[in-house]
Structure formats: C-alpha cells, structure tokens
Amino acid sequence: MTTLTIPTAATAPRSAHRWLALGVLALAQFLVVLDASIVNIALPVLGRQLGMDTAALAWVITAYVLAFGGLLLLGGRLADRYGHRRVFLFGTAGFVAASALAGFSVSSEMLLGARALQGVSAALLAPAALALLTHLFPDDRERTTALGVWGAVAGIGSAAGVLLGGVLTATLGWESVFFVNVPVGALVLIAIPLLVTRDGARTPGRLDAAGAVTVTAALVALVGALSAAEQLGFLHPLPLVLFAAALVLGAVFIAVERRAVEPLVPLSVFRNRNLALGNVVMLLGGAAMVALFFALSVFMQAVLGYDALTAGLTQLPLAGVLVLVAGGAPALIARLGTRPVLIGSLLVLAAGLLWLAAAPSDAAFLTQLLGPTVLIGIGLGGAVVATTQLAVDGVAGGEAGLAGGLINTSQQIGGAVGLAVLGTVAGLRTAALTASGASAADAMTGGFSWLFIGAAGLALLGAATVAVWRRG
C-alpha cells in the first residue's frame, strides 16, 4: 500500500467541538442516504395526485440516482479544489432548496427537475462531508471511532426510509417526505459554520474539464444503463447502447487522465491498496444492501400483507442492531484489525441473508424473520465501518474529497448493479414458478429467495476478496 502523509494544513484543528461537528455532518449524510429510499413508499399516492404512470414514477427515483451517481467524482474533486466546508455548505443549501421545490411540485416535470437538483446537490455534499470527517479526525484511532458513528447514521438512513416514508405519507401526505429535509438541512447550514473553521488557502490550478466531462458522462451512461436494464431487460437496445457508451467514455476518460497535468482522478491514487480494496468491497456490499432493502420491503408488503407502516416497524430491530454494532466496531477494529473485522462482518451478513432466503410465503416475523434480520444488521454494521475505514486509509488531505467521491460512487454503482441484476434474477425465478403452477405468493417468495441468495453470494465474494487481497 502506498501511504500518503496528510499535510499539516489538513491536520490543523478544524473545530473546537469535533464530535458535535461530526454529529451534524452525519446528519447531512443521513438525509442523502434516506432520500434514496424514503420516496419509494410515497410513489403510489404521488402518482395518483400528479397523474404519473408507472414509467414516469420510475424516473422519480432514476432522476435522483443518475445525477447523484454521475457527479460524485466531480463533486469530490471540486471539494478538494475549492474547499471542503465551502462545497459542503453549497451542496447542503442546494439540497434543502431542491427538497422544498419537490414538496411544492404541481406537475411531474417540476418534480423530476427537483429530484435531479437533489441528486446534483447530494453529489457535492456527500464527498465533502466525508473529507471534513478525515480532517476533523486525523488520528487513525479517533478516525475509526468517528467512522463508527458515520456508519451507524448512514445505516439508520438506509433502514429508516421505509418506516419514515410510510409514517409521513400516511399522516401528512407525500409532500412531507421532501419537506422533512428542509428543517434538518437548515440546522446543518446554521451549525457547520459555527463548528468548523473556514477552509485554508487553496492551491491555484486548473480544473480537468475534459476529465470531468468524460467521467460524468460515463457514470451517467452506466447508471442509466443499469436502471434501464432493471425496467426493460438487459437485452433491450437502450441499456445495450448505454453500456457501450459507458465503456467508450470510460476508456476516453482513462486516456485523458494519463495525459492530464492536473488530472481529475490521479490514477496513482489506486496504488493505495487499502483504498482500492475498500472501493471493491463497497461495490459488492452496495449491490447486496440496496437489493436487500428493496426486496425485504416488497416481500413484507406484497407477500406477507403488511401495510407500509408495519413493514417499516419490522425493520427497527435491524436498524437498532446495526447502530449498536457500528458504534462498537471501532474498538473491535483497534483490537483485531480492519480486515479481520470486515471478513467476519461479511460472513455474518451472508449467513443472515441465507437464513432469510429460507423464509416461506407465510413467514411469522418473530420466529422466521427476526433472527435473520438481526444477523444482517450485525453484518452490515461492521462491514460499513470497516469498508469506509479502508477506503480513506492513508489518503492525503488534498485528496480527501476524491476518496469520499470514490467510495460514494462505488456504493451508488454497486447499488444500481445489484438492483438490476438481482432484480432480474428474482423476476425470472418468479416467472418460472408461476409457469409451473405455483401460487402467486409462493412464486414471489421463490423469486425473493433467489435474490437473497445472490446477495449472500456477493457478501461471500467480498469476504474472499479481502482475504486474498495483498497488502502491498
């Protein structure tokens, strides 16, 4: 591994109340993670009131994911160049404004535009927030503890989307799933200038415009291809064309970066083997996690007959365990090391997913779902913290935003891949069981079972990758 020393400017105290500042930064990250899932529950009501059909409703999710996933690397680099606090505040302000615009939407066009603006703002906010965390906690031991808090809050955001979406939609209407971001975001905008010092002097230089355009276009094409494949199938002309465009643009981006004097993504950063490993594992983990939360919510509502609120409440044990484990993971990492904790967490996650795959179509929550979801929470809690720790290990202060952009991009791309591929597998299995005469509930259960098994396979592949990856 190539270890880069964090420069003095990055290690200078950025806050007299670092842990309070961390809590506020984590709150902003919570909003970004939450917004990817909280909207799902509101879609049927939203569609009826705004006159949006199924295809248009899919774009409520896709517009956010495309902008967020496509601009993360650029957002991270902009934070490195123009100041992490400055870009974080700019992204947060944009996210608050776009959320308000989405809540006030009176047409599908207005809503989709607001969702795209939310994604753009999140792409600025997320990598800058993680970069600020690395500056606030330059000491490895303290940083690991801070990442435990970060991972716990991000985990809550992933698991809480269904619960909050159901509660808010049922009580206050679909607009509330967007309006909830406004007061929380306003709190962040007030607190961070009081808690974190201004950015230091930035080194003047040119932004790699060609690299920014090509990598953004490549990522947008890739995420768009995966989203299209999920809806239309992998053999449809649209995802095939987008996949080809992503490959060509990716190759052009690499060629541009090799020649650029000040590249957007210095390829030498991947000589840091821990950073590279962290991103590979996050790609696999993101694929498993996004597919899991999507399938678990649909399984409980479509097969078990739970309403949205009940389905959300059943995920509280998972979220609670995830938070506890993420909070305790730093001490375990300090004692055993990052890699052993990551391998163990991924194995526990795989075990929980395989157990969940055995649930029947009339599963009782207490006896057949609680156990596996608790195991999944344990595995996710440890894996999120350990993976993020690897991805920022030894990163220079001037590349902290880039590292934040990379790890968030890996999670977004992984999530899109997992949902497209595992969703397709589940759909094929469901269709096969339906054709063989199985009941609708049994056919759907069989499809979800294959999805959970596939997610477990990704977790096992991640554990094996960590085990054989050279330290450098």
Side-chain angles (χ1 to χ4, degrees):
M1 183 195 76
T2 301
T3 302
L4 303 173
T5 303
I6 298 176
T8 304
T11 57
R14 294 295 306 267
S15 175
H17 306 281
R18 293 183 301 161
W19 294 101
L20 182 57
L22 169 65
V24 177
L25 290 172
L27 192 60
Q29 178 69 8
F30 171 82
L31 290 181
V32 171
V33 175
L34 180 73
D35 225 66
S37 59
I38 193 174
V39 181
N40 287 318
I41 297 298
L43 286 179
V45 178
L46 185 156
R48 286 195 298 271
Q49 294 193 11
L50 294 184
M52 301 175 71
D53 58 19
T54 302
L57 286 176
W59 273 99
V60 176
I61 305 299
T62 304
Y64 179 80
V65 173
L66 275 179
F68 186 28
L71 292 169
L72 272 165
L73 284 180
L74 177 59
R77 217 41 172 158
L78 288 173
D80 287 335
R81 183 167 296 279
Y82 297 109
H84 300 111
R85 194 186 82 153
R86 183 179 296 110
V87 171
F88 172 80
L89 291 173
F90 186 80
T92 304
F95 194 82
V96 169
S99 297
L101 183 64
F104 284 120
S105 294
V106 294
S107 66
S108 59
E109 295 80 7
M110 184 176 175
L111 177 62
L112 294 178
R115 288 290 284 168
L117 286 175
Q118 277 188 306
V120 172
S121 301
L124 297 174
L125 184 165
L130 187 55
L132 283 173
L133 181 151
T134 65
H135 287 185
L136 289 169
F137 301 94
D139 177 75
D140 286 343
R141 186 178 295 273
E142 286 190 332
R143 182 184 294 179
T144 303
T145 304
L147 287 172
V149 176
W150 185 266
V153 172
I156 295 173
S158 297
V162 175
L163 173 60
L164 289 178
V167 171
L168 291 173
T169 303
T171 57
L172 300 174
W174 65 265
E175 298 91 345
S176 61
V177 302
F178 300 112
F179 285 142
V180 70
N181 296 331
V182 176
V184 180
L187 175 64
V188 173
L189 287 171
I190 294 169
I192 287 299
L194 299 175
L195 293 171
V196 180
T197 60
R198 292 178 180 272
D199 299 301
R202 314 306 299 174
T203 304
R206 296 175 57 190
L207 183 66
D208 177 15
V213 170
T214 51
V215 74
T216 300
L219 289 172
V220 168
L222 178 57
V223 175
L226 292 166
S227 298
E230 180 191 350
Q231 299 170 31
L232 305 173
F234 282 93
L235 298 182
H236 190 278
L238 178 59
L240 289 177
V241 169
L242 289 174
F243 275 127
L247 286 173
V248 172
L249 288 166
V252 172
F253 168 69
I254 292 174
V256 168
E257 297 308 277
R258 287 183 181 278
R259 299 186 177 206
V261 177
E262 297 182 46
L264 181 77
V265 182
L267 301 182
S268 60
V269 74
F270 295 106
R271 294 175 188 164
N272 180 331
R273 298 189 66 80
N274 277 358
L275 178 147
L277 174 59
N279 279 275
V280 170
V281 175
M282 184 59 82
L283 192 73
L284 296 170
M289 186 167 62
V290 171
L292 161 69
F293 284 121
F294 169 78
L296 193 57
S297 172
V298 176
F299 173 67
M300 288 181 172
Q301 294 180 77
V303 177
L304 300 183
Y306 296 174
D307 58 28
L309 179 57
T310 304
L313 289 172
T314 59
Q315 294 193 31
L316 284 179
L318 187 158
V321 171
L322 191 156
V323 171
L324 290 174
V325 172
L332 201 58
I333 290 172
R335 183 175 179 181
L336 302 177
T338 307
R339 292 185 183 222
V341 171
L342 181 53
I343 291 173
S345 298
L346 290 170
L347 291 177
V348 171
L349 173 59
L353 286 165
L354 290 174
W355 187 0
L356 184 62
S361 58
D362 58 350
F365 178 75
L366 287 177
T367 57
Q368 292 166 305
L369 296 178
L370 179 59
T373 55
V374 166
L375 270 188
I376 288 169
I378 293 171
L380 283 176
V384 168
V385 176
T387 304
T388 308
Q389 171 67 21
L390 280 176
V392 299
D393 183 37
V395 174
E399 293 182 337
L402 172 61
L406 283 170
I407 192 68
N408 278 283
T409 300
S410 296
Q411 185 175 20
Q412 289 297 310
I413 298 298
V417 171
L419 199 54
V421 174
L422 296 181
T424 299
V425 169
L428 292 173
R429 178 60 175 167
T430 300
L433 289 173
T434 301
S436 68
S439 67
D442 286 339
M444 291 184 68
T445 301
F448 287 127
S449 178
W450 277 33
L451 184 148
F452 295 138
I453 291 172
L458 291 172
L460 290 173
L461 179 59
T465 302
V466 177
V468 302
W469 193 279
R470 284 194 310 114
R471 283 176 168 78

